[in-house]
Every structure is written in structure tokens, then in C-alpha cells.
Amino acid sequence: MISIQSSSDIMSVLHNIVQRSHTSDSKDAEEWTAIGFRIANNYFLAPIDQADEVFPLPAQITPVPKSKPWVFGISNLRGDLLPLFDLRLFLYGQITQINNRSRIMVIKQQGLFSGLVIDEVFGLRHIDQQAHANDDLLNTPIAPYLDGSIMQGDTNWYVFNFTSLATDQRFLDTAA
Amino acid sequence: MNNNSFLSILTAKNNLPFSLLALLFVAIGIVGVWSIETGFYLQFFGFTFPISIAISISIIVGLGFALMAGLNTISVVQASFDDMESQIRNTQDSVLTLLDEMGDLADGDLTVSTTVTEDMTGAIADSINYTIDALRDLVMSINSTTLQVSSAAQETQSTALTLTEASTRQSQQIQEVSLTITDMATSFEQVSNSANQSADVAKQSVALAAKGHNAVKRSIDGMDTIREQIQETSKRLKRLGESSQQIGDIVELIDDIAEQTNILSLNAAIQAAMAGEAGKGFAVVADEIQRLAERSGNATKQIDALVKTIQSDTHEAIISMEQSTSEVVSGAQLSQDAGESLGQIEAISHQLEDLIDKISSSAQQQAKSASLASDNMGTIQEITLQTSSGTHESAESIGHLLTLADDLRKSVSGFKLPQS
């Protein structure tokens, strides 16, 4: 990473970005882009094409009566009704503590348009390896929604599959 | 003998007629003589012969009667003489008996007693008995008195001897006491000297306390200065903390902006990904913007951590300065207390000095008194020696008295007393 010491450094960085944007075709086909996020103490990666939008928690969230506990509420996203789900509560049985790091990640999968409450979103992560299945994952309750894990640096990332979540009947069955 | 008087003999019953008759006839004769002589007779008669014979006869008759009366009287006198003689003999006998009884008395035998009879010696014997009794009592009383005197004298002698001994001991003790008093006088001198030295020490301690007092004052002033400086520094640190708080606020704003940029670039990347091949170039830009936002977010986090560290350090520095201030205050208080204590020490040292002076003068007076007492002891010693010799003389006198009492007892030892 180039360290930014002065305004000329910024210019060179921007120039570098422009050059790389033109030469993106020559990139390694193996590399894929994901969004890194955290739920509880676990780090997750989601392929960028599975996410639709990320935004901070809206000021107004309307609770949904007679629903499962993980149904966080309904909010208005630019005129569209967006149901919100507490992913932490659904996966781990722990209610998410809302703070300024909390985010809503919007997914559109299999006709399901919904927002998931996430503890923290780190941003884009460029991964140059494929997820490999870990035997340990099969023993956890979240195993059905994972494609495997990737070790990058000191961090072990679980690759989350929103499609699996969107097709899970338990998740879809929100009526209490 | 009065009973046997001549006249009474004459007038006794049996003699009275003879006496009267003799007197009558004598009287007749005398009358005849008288009548012749006076011539009365001659007037009547011319001759005298018959009358002369009558006169002679009457006188002879008178004489005869007188003789008869005289014979009676003589026999009475004779009887009286006989009586007297027997009486004298009786008296002589009783006197001899008395002398016989009194024979041992001459040898000092006071056990004798004379027989009291009806005789003339009875009264004498009685008197002698009385005298013997008195003498016996006297000798007994002399004996008992000499015994008492003797025992009393012995007691007194032993007392006097004890007294002499005691006087000797007293003399020795007085000598010892005298020595002790001399020692005491020396000790008092030493006490006086020590007290003088102590007074010097007390003076030094007064001076030192005063010095200490000054030093404490200076240290209190220094502590006041330190406290003011600490307070000033504390104020500056507080301002520094406030400034770092402002920095923190600004950093928070930057972090907020970076976070929003992050979200925006993320959404842009998502949009670009949706656009497929057409969005690839934009995806790169969005990706780079995202990275920059992430980096600035990380940088603000570091700044935030630094600011927090600065703030906590400042806070701790302020706390430690407050502690320092309070310690300085308590130190100043302690110094104040120390100063007061030193002041008290100064005052007490002053008092001590005065007291020690008094002790010194008292000790000197006592030394003088002790030497006076030593002199007095010398006088007492002399008096004791006099007393000793006096009691010795008394003992000797009493010995003499004992001898005298012995002599007295020996002088009456010749007398024999009844066993009692």
C-alpha cells in the first residue's frame, strides 16, 4: 500500500487507480470480490453480487406484530417496504445490540427482498482463493448457510451464502 | 501506902476510942496545968497538991490510952511493912523474868516477845513488845527497801550500761551519718554542676528549636510555591485535555465522513458489479475510494485511540497532580504541625532552662544545708560523747549506791527476824 504523505501522493494514487481501471481485463480470473462483515465474534464474506445495498440503520423501524423474534421490523427504503431481520438472533439466538457500527445489508434473492441487521460491515474484500469446506463448520447451526471458510492473514472468514438463507424454510417462516 | 497513913491508922475503927480517951486525958492534964499556971486554981483552993496528983494521974492515964492506941498502930505498920516486902520481892521476880526474856533481844533476836503480866513489869513488857514490833517492822522495811534499792540499782546500772553502749553506737552512727551527709553535700554539688550543664543543653535546644522553626517556615513557603505551581500546571493540563477533546470531536466527524464514504463506495461497487462488464471500470474506482475511506477510517481510529490515550494520560496527570496538591497541602499541614511542635519545644526548653536553674540553686542551698547539718552532727557527736561519759559515771555512782545498799542490808543482817 502506498503511504500518503502529501497532495502529490494523492494524485499519484488517483492516477494509479485510473490506470488499473483500464487494465482490469488483464486481472486474474480467479480473483473475486466480496463484502466483509461481522456477526457476533465471527467474520463473514458475502459475494458482492448477492448484496444489493448497504446503509446505516434507519431512524424509523416499525415492529411487525405476531412475528418470529428475529423479525426486526419494517422500514421504508426510498418508497419500498423493506422487511428487516435480526441475523444474529436467527443464527446464534442473541439479540443484536444496535450501535453506530450497525448496518442494514439489503439482499434480493429468489424473489426475497429483505434487509439483514449486521453488527459491522468492513467493506470490499478481494479474495484470490476459493472457499474450502471445513469439517468443523458442519457441526455448527449456521453450517447450512455457509459455503466454507477462507483464511486470510490472521482472520478466518466464513463464506456466507444468502441464496441458501433465502431458500431456507425456517427463515422464510416468519409468522409466530 | 496512903491507906496506911498514920492519921488514918489512928482514926481506924478499933483505934478511935483509945485515941479519943488519950486525947481526953491529956487535955484534962493540960487544962490542970493551965489552971495552975494562971493562978485560976488558987483562987479556989489554997494548995496545989491534989491537983498535981490529979494532973499526973490523968496524964498517965492519957499516956496509957495513947500507948494502947500506939500499939495498935504499930501492929498495923508492921503489917504494912510485911506487905511491902512481899511486893518488892514479887517485883524483883518479875523484873528478873523480864530481863531473862529480854536476854536474846540484846543479841538482836527480834523474834522474842516479853510476857505481859499483871505485875508492875507488865506495862514495861508491853512497851518492850511494842518497841520490838516497831524495830522488827523497821528492820524488815530496811531489808525490803535495800532489796528494792539493790534491784532497782542493778536495773538502773544495766540500763546505764546499755545506755552507754547505745551512746557508743549512736556515736558511731552519727559518724556514719556525718560521712553520709558529707557525701550528700558532694552529690548536691555534682547535681548542681550537672544542672548547670543541663541548662546549657536546654539553651542549645532552644536555639535549635528556633532554627528548626525557621526551617519549617521556609519549607511551608516552599510548599505553598509548589502548590501554586502544581495548580497552574493542572490548569494547563485541563486546557490540554479540553483541546484533545476538541480534536477527538473533529476526528469523530472525520470518522463519520469516512464511514459514510465507505458505505457510499461500497454501494457504488455493488452497483458496478450489477452493471456487469460495463461497470468494471467504475467498480475499480469505487473499490479504491472504498479503500481510501477504510484507511482514513483506520487512521481516525488510531487518532481517536491516541486522543483517548492523551485524554486518559491527562486525566491521570490531573489526578496525580491533585493528589500531589493534597499531599503538598497535608505536607504543609504537617510542617505547620512540626513548626508548632518546635515552637512548643522551644517554650518547654525555656521552661526547662528555668527549672534547671532552680534545681541548680536548690542543690547549692541543699549542699550548704548539708554542710550545716554536718556541723550540727559534730555538735551532736560531742553531746553524745558527754552523754556517754555521763552515763558511765552514773553507772559507777549506781555501783556505789549498790554497795551502800549492800552495806545497809549487812548492817541490819544481825537482826534475827521471825520466819515468814
Side-chain angles (χ1 to χ4, degrees), chain B residues 284-326:
Chain B
V284 172
V285 176
D287 190 40
E288 288 302 328
I289 291 168
Q290 223 253 313
R291 283 184 191 183
L292 284 174
E294 242 180 273
R295 280 173 62 192
S296 55
N298 286 334
T300 53
K301 280 192 186 75
Q302 284 173 13
I303 293 167
D304 192 47
L306 283 173
V307 167
K308 282 206 168 79
T309 309
I310 288 167
Q311 276 181 337
S312 79
D313 285 357
T314 311
H315 189 64
E316 280 175 15
I318 287 167
I319 286 171
S320 73
M321 279 192 180
E322 277 168 0
Q323 284 176 355
S324 299
T325 307
S326 70

Side-chain angles (χ1 to χ4, degrees), chain B residues 85-101 117 119 121:
Chain B
E85 196 180 337
S86 76
Q87 273 185 353
I88 287 165
R89 198 168 291 128
N90 284 343
T91 304
Q92 203 173 10
D93 288 347
S94 57
V95 164
L96 280 173
T97 311
L98 190 59
L99 283 174
D100 192 33
E101 283 175 345
T117 57
D119 295 336
T121 55

Side-chain angles (χ1 to χ4, degrees), chain A residues 17 20 52 54 103 124 126, chain B residues 259 267 274 287-288 290:
Chain A
I17 290 166
R20 275 192 285 164
D52 204 58
V54 174
R103 299 282 179 267
L124 293 177
H126 298 284
Chain B
E259 195 58 39
N267 285 326
M274 281 180 191
D287 190 40
E288 288 302 328
Q290 223 253 313

Side-chain angles (χ1 to χ4, degrees), chain B residues 242-268:
Chain B
E242 286 163 9
S243 301
S244 65
Q245 181 65 46
Q246 288 172 353
I247 292 169
D249 291 348
I250 293 163
V251 166
E252 206 176 326
L253 184 65
I254 293 167
D255 187 50
D256 207 22
I257 292 165
E259 195 58 39
Q260 285 180 28
T261 312
N262 191 359
I263 291 169
L264 282 172
S265 61
L266 182 61
N267 285 326

